[in-house]
Amino acid sequence: MKLVSVDEMRAIEREADGQGWTYEQMMERAGLGLAEMVHSFYGYEERMSALGLVGSGNNGGDTLVALAALVETGWQVTAYLVRPRPKEDALLDRLRATGGTVVERTGDKGFKVLDETLRNATVLLDGVLGTGIQLPLKEEVAEVLRRVKQSAFCPPVVAVDCPSGVDCNSGAAADECLPAEMTISMAAVKSGMMRLPAFELCGDIQVVDIGLPEGLEAWDAVRNEIVSEDLVRSLLPERPTDGHKGTFGTVTVVGGSLNYTGAVLLATWAAGKVGAGLVQAAVSTPLHAALAGHNPNATWVLLPHQMGAISGDAVSVLLRATERTTAMLVGPGFGLEDCSAEFVRRLLENKTSPRARATIGFVNAAVEAKEDKEPARPLPPMVFDADGLKLLAKTEGWYKHLPSEAVLTPHPGEMGVLTGLEVKDIQADRLGVARRYAAEWGHVVVLKGAFTVIAAPDGRMRVIPAATTALAHAGTGDVLAGMIAGLRGQGLAAFDAATAGCWMHAQAGLAAAEKLGHEAAVQATDVLAAIPEVLAWVWER
């Protein structure tokens, strides 16, 4: 599903019209698709009745086409004209000819007809206003929406293209806006619908085809899309019956410190649960005894440390132990000690440091080391998360040293550290900021938060259609990073691994909240536990 601004959609329709696929034809296709979807979701009762709130613009036209089509499938329909339509309106004439009822707001004193029709309706089609509105709403529209919203008999609402009263660029919404059970968007999802409060008013978002001809430059220029279940299913790696652990990759998770011991566990579990064949945890030696028994599925690489924090000398040990690694995650629970910053710097420069006689587990500065003459090995595909991102920022030109394409998973605060931008400015233009820096750095940027944005260096953008406080808990980011690394290690391209990981992570958070009964109760371990359910759900469908 493509994600477009209002201006982009207008340009697409204008170009289509110029190539001979007229606005009338687009409206006809949109209305028929709308009717088909409404009948599919709501046409199960013995007596089916649809009330359409109709405006003067294209959304009203889509609604009239849909109502006429519903009559032909056995529905009783009423078009309630909230705003006047043209005197010679062929769509109104068609609806009347099919047996549909038309009521004008100006003739409905005290909303008596509206109230009675609401009482008997199976579904309400909200086709009053489209994407070009300006807030606040005019009173003639606001009073109708307010009346419906306050009615004790309002049926399920299906918004046509967008809920009336939603600004489809900013995501702002009028107080009178009707919360929809479903929004059926024409051709593409409008960008404002992926912002709050609009998203919460849209309900389940579906898209119908309006018959756009192939080769439209304006359509092809759109690089933003909404991540759907079908897209994720198409991205997930195959699981051949004769596969073995080597088939599904080796993921190395580098992280942990005395203050943040659990992060590595969460990430290693997550990488395994999305299908990685082998997961190994590279941690400072003191953490091993505390962690190893909590994930018997993982293997362990013990790294030199300073007071429990991974030290710069650890690069040699790590690289010698990860020759078969197909994806490396750096950062969960890392801490911000100077010695760990030195580790990241050396890793980026791919210096396997002196072949020290220093023993794994402590640093003996007095030991004389010999220079390592082994050639530097290329780094595996990488994912950087959490403190690993903050430590990256301490190395000038860090993005030039990462293997292409790395996945970076900052929340807005970490993105601020990497870019120098204020968090408020990042949040005000999430898509623009993610796109800009993915291109500048040459890596995939996952800007986490409500409606997580995944940006590729080539300008492609994907948005996760989810916003939930179920994921607003410590450790859930470690789970996400592990999932992305697990998929990357199985051979998915960086952009696709980030896409599938983010979508499944959001679904796991929602599933955990549903199981526990409230978003506030969800912990990172609950998100982990829900991953198999999400995988099964995607594969079974």
Side-chain angles (χ1 to χ4, degrees):
M1 295 187 288
K2 291 204 176 191
L3 183 68
V4 300
S5 68
V6 173
D7 286 344
E8 285 174 329
M9 194 66 228
R10 287 173 176 163
I12 290 165
E13 292 174 341
R14 186 165 54 247
E15 184 180 352
D17 182 67
Q19 291 193 13
W21 186 248
T22 66
Y23 288 103
E24 290 77 14
Q25 289 171 306
M26 286 183 264
M27 185 179 296
E28 183 73 14
R29 183 68 68 87
L32 293 177
L34 172 62
E36 182 178 349
M37 198 161 288
V38 168
H39 184 69
S40 174
F41 279 91
Y42 300 99
Y44 49 80
E45 295 186 6
E46 184 176 343
R47 180 181 177 278
M48 302 170 296
S49 176
L51 167 62
L53 300 182
V54 177
S56 57
N58 291 341
N59 280 39
D62 297 342
T63 305
L64 290 172
V65 172
L67 291 174
L70 287 172
V71 172
E72 297 178 0
T73 57
W75 288 67
Q76 294 181 353
V77 305
T78 299
Y80 192 89
L81 304 188
V82 178
R83 303 182 73 180
R85 299 284 300 178
K87 290 184 178 180
E88 297 181 0
D89 190 336
L91 298 178
L92 280 176
D93 293 341
R94 183 207 297 185
L95 180 60
R96 290 189 179 100
T98 62
T101 301
V102 177
V103 177
E104 295 189 30
R105 160 67 188 97
T106 53
D108 183 22
K109 303 301 182 183
F111 296 111
K112 292 182 180 179
V113 177
L114 177 61
D115 291 344
E116 184 62 27
T117 310
L118 280 171
R119 183 187 297 268
N120 297 314
T122 306
V123 65
L124 182 148
L125 305 186
D126 172 12
V128 183
L129 300 172
T131 60
I133 68 152
Q134 291 184 341
L135 298 177
L137 298 180
K138 294 181 179 179
E139 183 56 27
E140 63 177 338
V141 173
E143 66 174 349
V144 175
L145 295 178
R146 195 180 303 120
R147 183 76 176 197
V148 173
K149 193 171 184 178
Q150 294 172 352
S151 173
F153 303 103
C154 183
V157 175
V158 173
V160 180
D161 205 20
C162 65
S164 294
V166 160
D167 185 318
C168 285
N169 278 328
S170 71
D175 291 339
E176 300 84 4
C177 188
L178 300 178
E181 185 172 277
M182 177 186 299
T183 294
I184 300 177
S185 211
M186 305 310 167
V189 179
K190 312 312 180 286
S191 57
M193 292 160 59
M194 289 295 109
R195 306 186 74 170
L196 295 172
F199 179 76
E200 292 182 328
L201 294 165
C202 289
D204 182 26
I205 299 174
Q206 302 287 336
V207 173
V208 297
D209 179 22
I210 62 172
L212 295 173
E214 293 185 4
L216 293 179
E217 291 184 5
W219 178 260
D220 293 340
V222 175
R223 308 299 302 278
N224 304 341
E225 64 179 326
I226 299 294
V227 180
S228 66
E229 180 183 330
D230 287 342
L231 173 61
V232 172
R233 183 181 298 109
S234 72
L235 298 178
L236 290 180
E238 295 183 0
R239 305 283 299 181
T241 304
D242 61 350
H244 50 83
K245 67 182 180 183
T247 307
F248 305 114
T250 296
V251 175
T252 299
V253 179
V254 188
S257 58
L258 291 179
N259 291 333
Y260 306 105
T261 55
V264 170
L265 277 178
L266 293 169
T268 55
W269 272 108
K273 282 185 177 292
V274 295
L278 174 65
V279 182
Q280 58 182 9
V283 300
S284 62
T285 303
L287 299 189
H288 176 256
L291 298 179
H294 294 285
N295 188 355
N297 306 296
T299 61
W300 300 84
V301 179
L302 307 187
L303 301 177
H305 68 97
Q306 292 182 13
M307 300 297 291
I310 295 172
S311 70
D313 293 331
V315 173
S316 299
V317 178
L318 176 68
L319 294 183
R320 292 186 187 113
T322 56
E323 292 183 13
R324 297 183 179 180
T325 292
T326 55
M328 181 182 291
L329 166 59
V330 178
F334 218 83
L336 297 173
E337 300 298 328
D338 289 343
C339 60
S340 298
E342 176 66 11
F343 167 86
V344 170
R345 184 185 67 78
R346 289 190 184 182
L347 183 65
L348 293 183
E349 295 176 357
N350 203 0
K351 289 185 177 179
T352 53
S353 79
R355 189 192 295 273
R357 283 176 280 168
T359 306
I360 293 176
F362 66 90
V363 175
N364 185 347
V367 175
E368 182 180 354
K370 298 179 181 179
E371 287 298 320
D372 190 344
K373 300 301 183 181
E374 291 183 8
R377 300 185 183 93
L379 293 172
M382 302 193 78
V383 179
F384 266 81
D385 181 52
D387 288 340
L389 295 166
K390 296 178 181 178
L391 295 179
L392 276 182
K394 294 185 177 183
T395 300
E396 186 176 355
W398 56 267
Y399 51 89
K400 300 175 184 177
H401 301 291
L402 289 174
S404 183
E405 295 171 342
V407 180
L408 313 172
T409 61
H411 58 55
E414 292 160 347
M415 192 66 174
V417 172
L418 289 169
T419 63
L421 298 175
E422 295 290 333
V423 170
K424 62 180 178 61
D425 296 327
I426 293 170
Q427 292 294 78
D429 186 20
R430 287 171 57 82
L431 272 70
V433 169
R435 175 182 279 116
R436 170 187 169 187
Y437 285 98
E440 181 176 320
W441 296 333
H443 301 292
V444 173
V445 172
V446 175
L447 183 54
K448 297 186 292 191
F451 316 110
T452 290
V453 177
I454 305 107
D458 62 7
R460 289 177 295 158
M461 303 274 288
R462 289 171 177 164
V463 178
I464 304 299
T468 173
T469 61
L471 298 174
H473 294 86
T476 59
D478 303 310
V479 174
L480 172 60
M483 295 174 73
I484 294 172
L487 293 166
R488 187 78 171 103
Q490 293 176 71
L492 267 68
F495 188 48
D496 293 339
T499 298
C502 288
W503 186 89
M504 290 194 295
H505 180 254
Q507 295 302 315
L510 294 170
E514 183 175 356
K515 180 178 181 179
L516 295 174
H518 199 283
E519 293 177 348
V522 176
Q523 299 294 298
T525 49
D526 301 312
V527 178
L528 267 177
I531 293 173
E533 177 185 343
V534 174
L535 273 174
W537 177 35
V538 173
W539 282 117
E540 287 175 2
R541 294 194 183 188

